[in-house]
Amino acid sequence: MPLPRVPGLGGWGSDPLWGKFYDWTVEHPRVGGALWRIGVQSDLRLLYETAEEIGRQPPGSRILDVPCGGGVALRGLRPEQRVEYVAADISQAMLDRTMEAARARQVADQVTPVIADVGDLPLDDGDADLVVSCTGLHCFPDPELAVSEMVRVLKLDGAITGSALLNDSLRYEPLRRAGRIAGLLGPGCTSDQIVLWLTRNGVADVTLQISGAIGYFRGVKRN
């Protein structure tokens, strides 16, 4: 379910310039961290901490990263960790960049790229031990459906974690409005909605940490 896009600006069905810029900020912590503090008053280190959970998964685990984008969450995957890392995205160009990043990090043997719509994930119920969705929920046309699908493919006692640009504060409404005009942002959601959607789908122990415009969430599927 790709968003409509404005000609010349790109959209998530391709590989917009904004995606490359976002990846660059994540991969350059000193400058990128400053840009995040200035732009969205958020601590980039929280994204790194979210990705670290990937590296704590035991051998044989299946990890779903959706949308994988350019592969920024791969920083959490360890060489020879012996897990299956499913990198899912609606854009082939994004998947190509994810695989470039995987090769650079020497983890490509563990990464399976998959063209996928987050509203209809090509995984069976309970397929994943961990679902990661870094700065992706606000990009989806139907974030509630996306949460439902991500939890559906999660095993019991598996964790879902990620981050999203929240609708909580009017301070960031110009940023959100510009993103929607560019075809980069969907309707988004509030922190209360994220918690509600997760709990409604059987996720417990939900935590949500707000850092500027970004909210970092985590929970465990119990039923």
Side-chain angles (χ1 to χ4, degrees), residues 2 4-5 17 54 75 86 98 113 134 189-190 220:
R5 68 178 189 173
L17 289 174
I54 294 169
R75 66 190 308 109
V86 180
T98 289
C134 289
C189 56
T190 65
V220 178

Side-chain angles (χ1 to χ4, degrees), residues 16-38:
L17 289 174
W18 173 253
K20 295 184 177 70
F21 175 73
Y22 162 74
D23 293 351
W24 187 91
T25 64
V26 175
E27 297 302 333
H28 295 79
R30 186 171 179 180
V31 178
L35 290 172
W36 277 52
R37 287 193 297 272
I38 294 168

Side-chain angles (χ1 to χ4, degrees), residues 3-207:
L3 290 164
R5 68 178 189 173
V6 177
L9 293 178
W12 295 121
S14 58
D15 189 2
L17 289 174
W18 173 253
K20 295 184 177 70
F21 175 73
Y22 162 74
D23 293 351
W24 187 91
T25 64
V26 175
E27 297 302 333
H28 295 79
R30 186 171 179 180
V31 178
L35 290 172
W36 277 52
R37 287 193 297 272
I38 294 168
V40 290
Q41 288 73 55
S42 188
D43 188 347
L44 181 56
R45 291 174 295 182
L46 294 175
L47 187 146
Y48 301 151
E49 291 175 8
T50 297
E52 286 173 1
E53 184 158 5
I54 294 169
R56 295 194 289 271
Q57 302 306 298
S61 299
R62 173 176 284 182
I63 300 160
L64 171 65
D65 176 8
V66 58
C68 63
V72 297
L74 285 172
R75 66 190 308 109
L77 183 61
R78 296 179 286 107
E80 301 182 5
Q81 191 176 339
R82 301 195 302 280
V83 299
E84 181 185 1
Y85 188 102
V86 180
D89 204 283
I90 201 167
S91 165
Q92 183 60 55
M94 290 290 194
L95 293 176
D96 292 343
R97 287 209 289 117
T98 289
M99 293 310 299
E100 288 178 11
R103 288 188 286 271
R105 294 184 178 278
Q106 300 183 325
V107 294
D109 59 316
Q110 301 177 80
V111 180
T112 302
V114 177
I115 287 282
D117 186 326
V118 72
D120 186 20
L121 290 169
L123 278 76
D124 293 333
D125 296 358
D127 257 3
D129 297 278
L130 173 68
V131 174
V132 180
S133 185
C134 289
T135 51
L137 200 57
H138 52 267
C139 300
F140 303 142
D142 190 340
E144 183 176 5
L145 175 61
V147 169
S148 177
E149 270 293 280
M150 289 189 286
V151 176
R152 177 187 66 79
V153 304
L154 188 62
K155 291 180 180 178
L156 286 177
D157 298 324
I160 178 171
T161 186
S163 57
L165 178 69
L166 299 175
N167 290 347
D168 291 45
S169 174
L170 290 175
R171 177 179 184 180
Y172 304 105
E173 182 56 26
L175 172 65
R176 294 191 293 265
R177 188 170 300 173
R180 290 171 189 137
I181 292 172
L184 299 175
L185 297 183
C189 56
T190 65
S191 54
D192 288 343
Q193 286 176 313
I194 291 178
V195 173
L196 174 63
W197 296 339
L198 288 170
T199 55
R200 184 181 287 166
N201 283 280
V203 176
D205 306 320
V206 177
T207 61

